[in-house]
Amino acid sequence: MFVQSNSPSYHALSDHELIESLASSAETGLTPEEVARRYEQYGWNELQFKPGKPPWLRFLLQFHQPLLYILLLAGTVKAFLGSWTNAWVIWGVTLINAIIGYVQEAQAEGAIASLAKAVATETTVLREGQPLRIPSRDLVPGDLVMLTSGDKVPADLRLLRVRNLQVDESALTGESVPVEKSIQVFPVDTPLAERRNMAYAGSFITFGQGQGLVIATANATEVGQISQSMENSVSLSTPLTRKFEKFSHTLLYAILTLATFTFVVGIGQGGTWLNMFEAAVALAVSAIPEGLPAVVTITLAIGVNRMAKRNAIIRKLPAVEALGSATVICSDKTGTLTENQMTVQAIYTGGQHYRISGGGYSPKGEITAIANNQEMALEGNTLPCVLTDCLITGLVCNDSQLKQTGADWSVVGDPTEGALIAVAEKAGLSQGAFMAVKPRLDAIPFESDYQYMATLHDAGHDAEPRMIYVKGSVEALLERCTQMLDAQGQAIALDASQIKQEVEAMANQGLRVLAFAQKVASAHQHAIDHEDIAADLVFLGLQGMIDPPRPEAIAAVRACQSAGIQVKMITGDHIATATAIAQRMGIQTTAGLIAYEGRDISQMNASEIENAALAGSVFARVAPTQKLQLVEALQATGNIVAMTGDGVNDAPALKQADIGIAMGKGGTEVARESAAMLLTDDNFASIAAAVEEGRTVYQNLQKAIAFLLPVNGGESMTILISALLARELPILSLQVLWLNMINSITMTVPLAFEPKSQSLMQQPPRNPNEPLLTPKLLRRILVVSVFNWILIFGLFEWAKSTTGDIAVARTMAIQALVAARIIYLVSISQLGTDIVQYLRGRSRTIASSPALLLGIATAVILQVLFSQWSVMNILFATAPLTWNQWLICLVPMLPMIPTAMLANQIDPPQANSTGNKKLVIKT
């Protein structure tokens, strides 16, 4: 029986001692029964972090805001002066603000944390001798785990087999470079960073392959012991929220200065210090946008949820804002811009051309030989031997399988490999039958640095040699080949120029081209390494497959270009294939379609790379390090860059990009951990959707600011001028709190649910360095603030002179302000835009805005209670209104209409110039 322990001695055990202590098997792993027993004993393989700040402390921190200090102080002074009702109302409103902030932050943090967990980490284990792909959380001690490049180590492992295995352990040990692993036994007192036969949870496989037994899971792992002292928290801080914090501090000083000025001037003009203190408090309260922090948090949280519904999961909240500012999207081709459903359509082998019919992964179709403009369908038993060898190489140098569900066929694994299996089965070849006769002995998985995969197979008969089969990029294989097979299957000298011509011809048809080769292995060879593939390969042929562009991606590219966002294709594929796809998708700059190859970039200096990055639309045969160079070059020219990636070596570019985007389905764990956003469907259209949602978030926040601040401005101007003129205040501090907290939040929160405007994706990207209050927004706020000041002051003075009741006058001024605010709210919402377009005959429909209508209805009900309910009359010094007085309060809605129209004047959007299009390929 095995008992999990975090004892450091596993690295000092021999393989036999290790297997015995873990009660497992190095060949077959654990049985399902033993897995179930150990799961019951040890539970999920998930880290348990130190609890974060307790709820009571997080609630108290809601009061740790500069602007709330003023309210708390004002309430305390009111209580000291004996105005307990006023004090309790001020404290109550502050408490409501804290509750709203606490609830919304908790919901936002929970939503982001749950979305981050939505993309499960998986690992490959061997159980009862069968390889299984399972969630990492299902691992138990004693499991036999298979590791390959790009994997995240799912638990602490003692390694039993390694092949060129390198692991990035920097997060645990601080080692800046990947560590090369071995299966050597180390002394007991070996420091953790030097235990080369161990792989620790949370580290990443950067190169090679390996196998190891799980020795510790969850909090028994090395990183788990550290996590117990760490808080697992989600940060809601973003550049935008930090701008709000800076704005709040600036506003705090301005408020204190104005309040002090009001108090001193009022006293100097003969006002009582009690009245002047009330005026100073009212001025301070009126200038504070109490509802704004809650609206910001709610809007960001809604944006995250909207993106998740459109297949974009946000891992880092600042990405929401950055997406709205993106000026360039650098996207991979295969699977992101294209369908990633490969079908082999052309083969070149032995100097002959073959065309393949059929689509998808179905093994139904024909192979037709093309010679002298004549076509002849081939049967399985009439295939030339060189064609058979080419197909067999694609069939067995392969880690994928085809799966049939009813009449539909799908691939379990890589789409490219699925296409190779499908075309081989069209020729009557069977993957299972071949493997039964010539089982695989060893393999070298695909590595981006080498651009090929190789497998070693046993001889089917004593007379046959063991064979090495290789598939990969044309460039990688040609430099390793010395011979090729002719039509009769005889080895002849390699004709590289002819092969390159055939590659160019296939690529010009938009086909993705792979090369295939083989090599005779030694009779007793049991393993292969890169040295075995370095030379003397025999070239077998080419297979060209089509991966059609996604229709929705074509539309998304157009939408991005209309929005002023450049789309650039960065791919490892052949330049002719990449440009053919780019032309079909409309990926080009105003100068046309300019394409560069990786070898061009390698010969450029920094200035030339910047120029190429700006001018180019397609970058083909690009190495991972060059992706980083391109991102840095684009950023150096002032661009905000979104970058997609899925491989291990894409991580530096993903981290460097303003928005790193990893593939949720096909990406490696290294890429996912480096990205700010994950695509659950690996589709470019989801990137465009996320950009749209990012812009919508910022648009709705600007609407909220444009709605909230004019009321604060109007109130402040009213109180300041009244105090300076030594007149009675048209609105008291408690009534200001009601307007700023209850009424404002009720009417502003629906703006967070606003849909995108129709012209949103026709506008250029937002400058991320623009101030929170732009000149245009300040002008809008000033216009509406002046209107609100005239409304409050004018109606108060009129009502006071006609009714002689100051409470009625104040109540009418407030109700008139709210009525006018309803018109202003509609004018800045999408509902208002749709109404205007409908009246002008430019639209036949008006979008429904249930959240906005509900907010307005709730505000109306609360305002009726505010003046007509006796309890409210006592708390807020209001008075019931008659029907005639209510009608008078509705009159200001009419002049608000032209005022809102004046405030809403915007510059017409500038059309995007497309210029003359041309195709230029830089090679």
Side-chain angles (χ1 to χ4, degrees):
M1 176 180 175
F2 167 66
V3 178
Q4 182 171 218
S5 167
N6 55 17
S7 167
S9 62
Y10 285 107
H11 61 276
L13 300 180
S14 66
D15 288 0
H16 177 74
E17 292 171 329
L18 174 73
I19 294 165
E20 191 174 74
S21 67
L22 292 173
S24 184
S25 167
E27 304 300 330
T28 60
L30 298 174
T31 63
E33 295 77 18
E34 183 63 18
V35 169
R37 191 191 67 78
R38 296 191 186 191
Y39 169 71
E40 289 296 327
Q41 185 175 357
Y42 302 113
W44 298 115
N45 176 34
E46 291 181 324
L47 296 180
Q48 300 298 317
F49 290 87
K50 173 186 175 182
K53 294 182 181 70
W56 63 267
L57 179 58
R58 294 171 62 192
F59 176 71
L60 289 180
L61 288 174
Q62 299 299 318
F63 296 94
H64 184 51
Q65 299 179 35
L67 299 181
L68 291 188
Y69 295 158
I70 296 177
L71 295 181
L72 293 172
L73 179 62
T76 303
V77 174
K78 284 283 188 180
F80 180 75
L81 296 175
S83 300
W84 284 101
T85 301
N86 288 5
W88 282 115
V89 171
I90 292 175
W91 289 337
V93 170
T94 310
L95 179 64
I96 291 172
N97 181 82
I99 292 172
I100 292 173
Y102 173 79
V103 170
Q104 291 303 324
E105 281 191 12
Q107 290 180 346
E109 290 176 359
I112 295 170
S114 62
L115 288 173
K117 294 180 179 178
V119 181
T121 301
E122 293 188 336
T123 191
T124 303
V125 298
L126 210 61
R127 288 179 176 171
E128 270 195 330
Q130 297 298 316
L132 301 174
R133 190 74 177 165
I134 65 169
S136 298
R137 70 197 299 259
D138 291 347
L139 283 178
V140 296
D143 260 326
L144 182 59
V145 176
M146 324 285 284
L147 301 172
T148 191
S149 179
D151 287 349
K152 181 178 183 180
V153 179
D156 282 0
L157 309 177
R158 164 62 194 279
L159 300 170
L160 297 176
R161 300 180 182 88
V162 298
R163 165 174 290 152
N164 301 322
L165 185 65
Q166 296 180 15
V167 182
D168 179 0
E169 297 178 341
S170 56
L172 181 64
T173 67
E175 183 73 37
S176 59
V177 297
V179 178
E180 187 164 352
K181 294 297 183 178
S182 73
I183 56 174
Q184 175 186 345
V185 177
F186 290 87
V188 174
D189 58 354
T190 304
L192 182 142
E194 298 176 13
R195 299 172 191 168
R196 304 303 170 108
N197 60 0
M198 301 288 294
Y200 294 105
S203 52
F204 293 97
I205 309 300
T206 61
F207 195 81
Q209 307 85 44
Q211 287 184 17
L213 288 173
V214 175
I215 60 149
T217 58
N219 280 45
T221 62
E222 293 290 340
V223 73
Q225 295 173 59
I226 298 172
S227 72
Q228 295 179 60
S229 61
M230 297 169 57
E231 291 185 5
N232 186 22
S233 60
V234 175
S235 173
L236 295 180
S237 176
T238 73
L240 181 62
T241 58
R242 289 191 285 273
K243 282 183 181 179
F244 274 113
E245 289 174 9
K246 184 177 179 181
F247 170 69
S248 297
H249 282 86
T250 304
L251 187 60
L252 172 64
Y253 300 133
I255 290 170
L256 291 176
T257 301
L258 280 176
T260 303
F261 175 74
T262 302
F263 182 80
V264 172
V265 171
I267 293 293
Q269 291 185 342
T272 66
W273 71 276
L274 281 174
N275 287 340
M276 288 304 99
F277 179 76
E278 168 63 27
V281 170
L283 177 64
V285 172
S286 68
I288 300 173
E290 291 91 348
L292 198 53
V295 171
V296 172
T297 304
I298 293 169
T299 305
L300 287 172
I302 291 171
V304 169
N305 284 322
R306 279 179 168 178
M307 290 182 185
K309 291 177 181 177
R310 300 182 74 174
N311 302 308
I313 292 184
I314 299 298
R315 295 186 67 251
K316 300 172 185 176
L317 198 56
V320 177
E321 296 171 40
L323 281 164
S325 305
T327 58
V328 178
I329 300 176
C330 299
S331 177
D332 189 18
K333 176 180 71 68
T334 304
T336 307
L337 292 169
T338 59
E339 294 277 6
N340 206 20
Q341 291 189 354
M342 299 286 193
T343 302
V344 175
Q345 291 191 337
I347 297 176
Y348 172 77
T349 180
Q352 301 294 317
H353 296 90
Y354 301 90
R355 181 171 55 83
I356 293 86
S357 64
Y361 298 115
S362 170
K364 295 181 180 179
E366 291 185 340
I367 298 178
T368 303
I370 304 173
N372 300 322
N373 295 323
Q374 294 185 346
E375 299 183 1
M376 181 179 67
L378 302 178
E379 299 294 338
N381 55 2
T382 63
L383 294 180
C385 59
V386 64
L387 175 59
T388 302
D389 287 345
C390 184
L391 293 172
I392 285 175
T393 302
L395 183 68
V396 301
C397 189
N398 197 310
D399 286 327
S400 301
Q401 294 178 328
L402 294 184
K403 178 182 178 182
Q404 185 177 15
T405 305
D408 298 326
W409 288 82
S410 60
V411 61
V412 181
D414 182 73
T416 300
E417 293 189 333
L420 298 177
I421 298 172
V423 70
E425 292 194 354
K426 288 174 184 177
L429 303 173
S430 168
Q431 191 180 42
F434 185 91
M435 291 292 197
V437 178
K438 297 184 177 182
R440 181 188 293 187
L441 301 177
D442 199 11
I444 301 176
F446 178 86
E447 295 277 0
S448 57
D449 286 347
Y450 288 95
Q451 294 290 316
Y452 63 74
M453 174 184 178
T455 56
L456 171 66
H457 291 263
D458 199 2
H461 305 283
D462 292 339
E464 295 182 358
R466 291 183 173 180
M467 296 295 297
I468 299 173
Y469 297 101
V470 190
K471 78 169 189 292
S473 71
V474 177
E475 292 84 352
L477 264 63
L478 278 185
E479 65 184 19
R480 292 168 170 82
C481 291
T482 55
Q483 293 180 307
M484 60 188 290
L485 297 185
D486 63 12
Q488 288 71 43
Q490 301 298 312
I492 59 174
L494 182 72
D495 187 350
S497 62
Q498 176 62 34
I499 294 171
K500 289 178 181 178
Q501 288 180 23
E502 297 296 337
V503 171
E504 196 74 25
M506 286 187 180
N508 287 332
Q509 301 173 48
L511 299 180
R512 185 184 183 194
V513 185
L514 285 182
F516 301 84
Q518 66 182 22
K519 182 179 182 180
V520 176
S522 60
H524 302 291
Q525 188 171 348
H526 293 279
I528 52 174
D529 211 332
H530 292 291
E531 287 77 8
D532 297 307
I533 317 298
D536 299 327
L537 297 184
V538 178
F539 181 82
L540 296 175
L542 306 169
Q543 294 192 39
M545 55 196 75
I546 191 70
D547 183 14
R550 295 178 185 261
E552 65 273 24
I554 296 175
V557 167
R558 285 199 299 267
C560 287
Q561 291 170 338
S562 298
I565 303 170
Q566 297 181 59
V567 179
K568 298 181 184 291
M569 179 192 294
I570 301 181
T571 177
D573 219 336
H574 192 279
I575 191 168
T577 305
T579 51
I581 296 295
Q583 283 182 303
R584 292 175 64 180
M585 301 195 71
I587 296 177
Q588 53 193 9
T589 65
T590 55
L593 202 167
I594 300 177
Y596 292 89
E597 282 192 297
R599 62 186 178 186
D600 304 320
I601 298 172
S602 64
Q603 298 171 3
M604 296 179 182
N605 57 35
S607 176
E608 290 171 334
I609 292 177
E610 287 183 11
N611 292 333
L614 289 174
S617 302
V618 173
F619 300 88
R621 289 293 193 242
V622 172
T625 54
Q626 292 171 335
K627 289 186 179 181
L628 177 60
Q629 288 179 302
L630 290 170
V631 170
E632 291 174 335
L634 288 167
Q635 290 175 326
T637 54
N639 285 285
I640 305 299
V641 183
M643 174 80 187
T644 70
D646 55 9
V648 178
N649 292 326
D650 290 335
L654 291 175
K655 286 183 178 179
Q656 177 64 32
D658 298 279
I659 312 106
I661 304 171
M663 303 298 109
K665 292 170 65 177
T668 61
E669 288 301 324
V670 178
R672 292 183 189 182
E673 292 287 333
S674 302
M677 186 174 87
L678 302 180
L679 298 183
T680 58
D681 60 352
D682 295 4
N683 191 337
F684 182 85
S686 297
I687 303 176
V691 169
E692 185 177 271
E693 293 297 343
R695 290 188 173 194
T696 302
V697 165
Y698 199 83
Q699 167 194 270
N700 290 347
L701 285 175
Q702 283 198 310
K703 288 180 181 179
I705 294 171
F707 179 72
L708 285 172
L709 294 189
V711 129
N712 296 97
E715 293 165 349
S716 301
M717 292 168 67
T718 300
I719 294 168
L720 178 61
I721 293 174
S722 297
L724 294 179
L725 297 178
R727 302 183 68 86
E728 290 180 294
L729 296 180
I731 184 169
L732 300 176
S733 57
L734 293 187
Q735 296 166 345
V736 170
L737 276 178
W738 171 271
L739 283 171
N740 290 1
M741 279 296 300
I742 308 303
N743 180 259
S744 287
I745 290 181
T746 302
M747 297 174 70
T748 309
V749 167
L751 291 174
F753 295 89
E754 279 276 278
K756 70 179 182 71
S757 66
Q758 295 178 355
S759 63
L760 186 66
M761 291 298 281
Q762 277 77 50
Q763 300 170 10
R766 174 180 60 86
N767 182 353
N769 296 320
E770 74 177 13
L772 187 62
L773 299 178
T774 62
K776 186 187 297 183
L777 184 57
L778 283 172
R779 288 195 296 270
R780 174 200 289 266
I781 291 171
L782 180 61
V783 168
V784 182
S785 294
V786 170
F787 176 87
N788 289 338
W789 163 60
I790 295 172
L791 171 59
I792 298 171
F793 203 86
L795 192 58
F796 169 76
E797 291 293 335
W798 178 84
K800 188 178 70 168
S801 64
T802 55
T803 66
D805 189 332
I806 195 168
V808 170
R810 285 171 174 155
T811 305
M812 289 183 68
I814 292 169
Q815 300 294 30
L817 175 64
V818 172
R821 289 187 86 189
I822 292 174
I823 296 297
Y824 181 51
L825 175 66
V826 172
S827 76
I828 65 174
S829 70
Q830 187 60 39
L831 176 62
T833 303
D834 288 346
I835 291 174
V836 172
Q837 296 296 324
Y838 180 80
L839 293 176
R840 290 178 177 176
R842 297 177 183 176
S843 175
R844 296 182 180 180
T845 59
I846 298 177
S848 61
S849 299
L852 188 73
L853 297 176
L854 178 62
I856 292 173
T858 303
V860 170
I861 293 171
L862 289 173
Q863 288 307 123
V864 171
L865 294 175
F866 179 71
S867 64
Q868 305 304 116
W869 189 20
S870 60
V871 175
M872 292 294 196
N873 298 154
I874 296 171
L875 290 176
F876 292 96
T878 56
L881 301 181
T882 65
W883 284 107
N884 287 337
Q885 289 168 340
W886 273 107
L887 289 174
I888 292 170
C889 292
L890 298 180
V891 171
M893 298 176 78
L894 297 176
M896 175 52 91
I897 295 174
T899 303
M901 293 176 65
L902 175 65
N904 287 341
Q905 292 299 312
I906 59 172
D907 299 325
Q910 296 181 353
N912 291 324
S913 175
T914 55
N916 296 321
K917 307 300 181 185
K918 60 182 179 180
L919 172 64
V920 181
I921 300 179
K922 301 289 187 180
T923 59

